[in-house]
Amino acid sequence: MLARETSPLKQTPLHALHLARGAKMVPFAGYDMPVQYTAGVLKEHLHTRGNAGLFDVSHMGQLVLKAKSGNVADAALALEKLVPQDIVGIAPGRQRYAQFTNDDGGLLDDLMVANFGDHLFLVVNAACKAEDEAHLRAHLSDACEIVSLADRALIALQGPKAESALAKLCADVSAMKFMDAGPRRVADIDCFVSRSGYTGEDGFEISVPADKAETLVTALLDNPDVLPIGLGARDSLRLEAGLCLYGHDIDTTTTPIEGALEWSVQKVRRSGGARAGGFPGADKILAQFAQGASRRRVGLKPDGRAPVREGAALFADPTSTEQIGKVTSGGFGPSLNAPVAMGYLPISLSALDTTVFAEVRGQRLPLKVAATPFVPNTYKR
Amino acid sequence: MTTLYTSDHEWLRIEGDVATIGITDYAQSQLGDVVFVELPKVGRSLKKAEAAAVVESVKAASDVYAPITGEVIEVNEELAAEPALVNSDAGGKAWFFKLKIADNSELGGLMDEAAYAAHTA
C-alpha cells in the first residue's frame, strides 16, 4: 500500500492573525487558509456587499517580468507570446486581465498584468504559480528576468466602503480608477495597489512586504467598516459576479471563446489586428473568433431554492439520457437569496432564458440561462 | 418523552410510537448557514441509515439519515420555507420529520444525552 503523502500546509504571513480572529482554517492550494470567521459565510458575504471585506490572498503568486533591455515594452512584447491579450497596450499605471494559453487554445491559468513603468507585475493563481513561473522561464528567459516575489503578502479590500477605509491610510487611492495599478505608500509601508479584486465590488488589491502584512491588516481592521472575510464568501461573491474560478469554470480544455472571455482578447491580437496571433493555440482561438465555438459558458439560475453545485450534469429536458453539459460552479447567492450557477452548454441551448435541467440527487431540476453578473458590479470606471 | 442521538448528529424525540427527528445544534454549527432543506415525502418508508433529507449550507450539501426504520407520517413545512431555523433552533422548531417507529429494538443502539455529549466533546 502506498503511504499517503502528507506534505505540511504552507502558511501565509497572516496565518496567526486568522487564528487570533477565530477563523476556521482549511487546506487550499497547499496553504492553510481561512474559509470563514465567526460571523459565517452568509454574513461575511453580505458585509462585503454592504461595507468592506478584507481577504488574505497571499497564497496567490506575484511575479515581476523585467526586460533585459530595460524597456518595459520589450517585456510586454515577450509576454504576448504566451497570452492572447494586448500587453503592449497596457499604459503605465494600468492593469489588465489575461490568460496563459496552451497549444490547443485551452487555458493554463488566468492572471492580472500591470505595467509598473519599468517592468510588468503579474498576479497568478496559487495552484498554478509554480507551473506559471516555469512556463515564463522556459519561454521568456532570453528576453526577460523573471522574479518571484515570494516575500510579499497580498490582500484584497472589497466593497462600497473599501475606498474610504483605504483612503485613511493612503489618501491618493481615491483618485484611482478601476484597473489603475502601481506603487503606493499605505500606512507608511511601500505597497503595490491596484483598484481591482474578484468580488464584483469596487475595491483594491494590495501587495505588501510579508513582514509588514500584519501591521497593514491590523490598521485596516481597526476600522469598524472592515471585517476579515474567508474563502467561503470569496467564492460566493465571485460566483454572483459571474467571474471564472480557474480549475472550475475554465481550465486547459476551455478556450477563451468557450469560456465567454472574448472581451478579454483585444482586437489588436485578433485576425486583422496589428499583432494578431503569435500566442499558443492562436490557430484554434482565432478560428473560433471567426466561426464560433460549439459550446459556451453561461450563467444559470435554478428555478427553485435548491443549490445546483459544481459537477451536476445538464440535460435538455427532464427525461433525456444524453448529457449536454455540466455545472462548473454553483451554490447559493446570499445577495440574491437564491441559488446561482455557471456551466457549459451547447451553443444551440445557450441563449438567455433557455430552460435546461440539472440532475441533483436523482431529480431533474429546471434552470434558466441567465445573464452574468448575477449581481451588478460596482467598479469605479 | 426521551431524546436520543445518533453518531451522525441526528436527534430523535420519542413519544409513544412516533419519533420526531432533527439535527443537533453541534451539527448545525459545523454546517454553517443553512439555505435549503429537502424533506422526505409523507408516506415514504425509510430504512435505518437510509438518506432521508438533505441540508444545504452555503458551501455544501449534507445528508440526514433515518436513525431508525419507519414510515414518514409528517414533515416540517415551516422548515422547508425557512431553512435558517436549523441555525437558530436546531433542537426545537427545526425538526425535520416524524417517523412511525417500526421496530423499538433499534432505539437501543442510540446514544443518550450524556453519551452524545461525550461523542462530540
Side-chain angles (χ1 to χ4, degrees):
Chain A
M1 196 189 277
L2 290 169
R4 215 169 105 202
E5 197 180 349
T6 52
S7 54
L9 291 172
K10 287 180 270 191
Q11 298 181 353
T12 75
L14 296 167
H15 191 264
L17 185 142
H18 299 316
L19 296 182
R21 292 264 172 174
K24 182 179 170 192
M25 307 296 284
V26 296
F28 184 83
Y31 285 79
D32 193 35
M33 295 297 287
V35 66
Q36 64 169 77
Y37 296 82
T38 49
V41 176
L42 207 64
K43 287 197 179 79
E44 290 172 26
H45 178 115
L46 295 173
H47 183 88
T48 305
R49 289 264 184 259
N51 299 279
L54 182 69
F55 303 79
D56 180 11
V57 286
S58 302
H59 56 313
M60 298 181 80
Q62 303 180 57
L63 295 155
V64 158
L65 193 64
K66 194 166 195 165
K68 288 180 177 167
S69 68
N71 186 348
V72 68
D74 291 332
L77 261 179
L79 185 56
E80 286 192 0
K81 291 180 192 167
L82 301 181
V83 307
Q85 278 72 33
D86 173 10
I87 304 300
V88 171
I90 304 173
R94 294 287 294 163
Q95 178 176 260
R96 182 164 277 171
Y97 173 71
Q99 308 102 27
F100 290 121
T101 51
N102 66 21
D103 289 338
D104 298 324
L107 303 179
L108 296 168
D109 196 7
D110 60 349
L111 68 154
M112 300 302 281
V113 183
N115 180 342
F116 277 7
D118 62 346
H119 66 273
L120 300 178
F121 173 67
L122 278 50
V123 178
V124 302
N125 281 303
C128 306
K129 65 184 177 184
E131 291 88 344
D132 290 343
E133 188 183 337
H135 186 58
L136 288 165
R137 287 191 193 287
H139 294 94
L140 307 186
S141 283
D142 288 351
C144 299
E145 277 177 57
I146 296 126
V147 183
S148 169
L149 303 181
D151 59 345
R152 296 186 80 89
L154 189 68
I155 59 172
L157 184 67
Q158 301 279 291
K161 295 183 180 170
E163 181 190 308
S164 59
L166 189 57
K168 287 188 168 73
L169 307 177
C170 176
D172 64 344
V173 296
S174 298
M176 295 177 81
K177 290 192 166 59
F178 184 56
M179 292 296 212
D180 280 351
R184 296 287 188 283
R185 206 158 162 84
V186 184
D188 291 324
I189 302 165
D190 287 321
C191 297
F192 311 144
V193 178
S194 69
R195 192 153 198 166
S196 64
Y198 219 60
T199 60
E201 293 296 320
D202 176 33
F204 302 86
E205 288 197 349
I206 308 158
S207 167
V208 53
D211 60 353
K212 301 278 179 20
E214 194 162 327
T215 305
L216 176 61
V217 166
T218 302
L220 286 166
L221 290 174
D222 278 346
N223 185 326
D225 291 338
V226 181
L227 282 183
I229 309 294
L231 291 178
R234 186 168 173 84
D235 191 50
S236 54
L237 288 159
R238 70 93 202 158
L239 174 60
E240 282 185 345
L243 297 167
C244 290
L245 183 60
Y246 188 79
H248 301 258
D249 305 296
I250 48 174
D251 59 28
T252 53
T253 70
T254 57
T255 68
I257 292 92
E258 291 164 357
L261 299 170
E262 298 95 329
W263 58 269
S264 72
V265 181
Q266 290 74 26
K267 286 203 171 122
V268 71
R269 304 300 309 277
R270 300 187 196 180
S271 299
R275 294 190 310 285
F279 50 86
D283 290 351
K284 179 162 175 184
I285 290 170
L286 295 181
Q288 285 191 348
F289 266 113
Q291 295 145 26
S294 61
R295 60 174 188 155
R296 185 170 182 79
R297 178 178 62 91
V298 296
L300 295 164
K301 274 193 169 172
D303 274 4
R305 298 242 346 138
V308 177
R309 298 188 189 271
E310 178 178 356
L314 294 171
F315 297 88
D317 62 61
T319 56
S320 60
T321 53
E322 188 197 356
Q323 184 180 340
I324 53 165
K326 68 169 186 172
V327 169
T328 51
S329 278
F332 188 78
S335 308
L336 299 162
N337 194 28
V340 282
M342 298 195 288
Y344 281 82
L345 283 175
I347 287 294
S348 58
L349 291 167
S350 67
L352 287 184
D353 293 328
T354 305
T355 298
V356 295
F357 295 82
E359 192 150 286
V360 178
R361 297 183 286 272
Q363 296 175 65
R364 297 280 173 95
L365 304 182
L367 312 87
K368 271 206 174 62
V369 176
T372 58
F374 298 107
V375 172
N377 63 49
T378 55
Y379 307 139
K380 295 288 181 293
R381 295 192 190 271
Chain B
M1 191 174 77
T2 317
T3 304
L4 299 171
Y5 300 85
T6 72
S7 55
D8 291 324
H9 311 290
E10 290 101 7
W11 56 258
L12 301 78
R13 213 160 50 224
I14 313 296
E15 288 162 287
D17 63 349
V18 173
T20 303
I21 290 151
I23 68 167
T24 65
D25 192 60
Y26 173 84
Q28 71 79 20
S29 72
Q30 295 296 305
L31 287 171
D33 305 301
V34 173
V35 295
F36 178 75
V37 172
E38 187 177 292
L39 297 169
K41 289 208 164 40
V42 172
R44 181 174 158 195
S45 288
L46 289 170
K47 285 204 169 57
K48 180 182 157 122
E50 188 178 344
V54 176
V55 187
E56 300 249 16
S57 69
V58 179
K59 282 304 285 176
S62 309
D63 286 320
V64 176
Y65 300 99
I68 54 170
T69 303
E71 183 191 326
V72 179
I73 55 169
E74 193 180 343
V75 299
N76 188 353
E77 301 292 354
E78 196 188 349
L79 180 62
E82 198 185 336
L85 280 177
V86 176
N87 296 117
S88 60
D89 195 7
K93 280 186 182 167
W95 61 276
F96 278 59
F97 55 90
K98 295 185 181 187
L99 279 185
K100 187 162 193 298
I101 301 169
D103 177 2
N104 270 306
S105 72
E106 286 180 353
L107 300 175
L110 300 170
M111 288 180 260
D112 64 12
E113 189 161 351
Y116 182 69
H119 175 67
T120 53

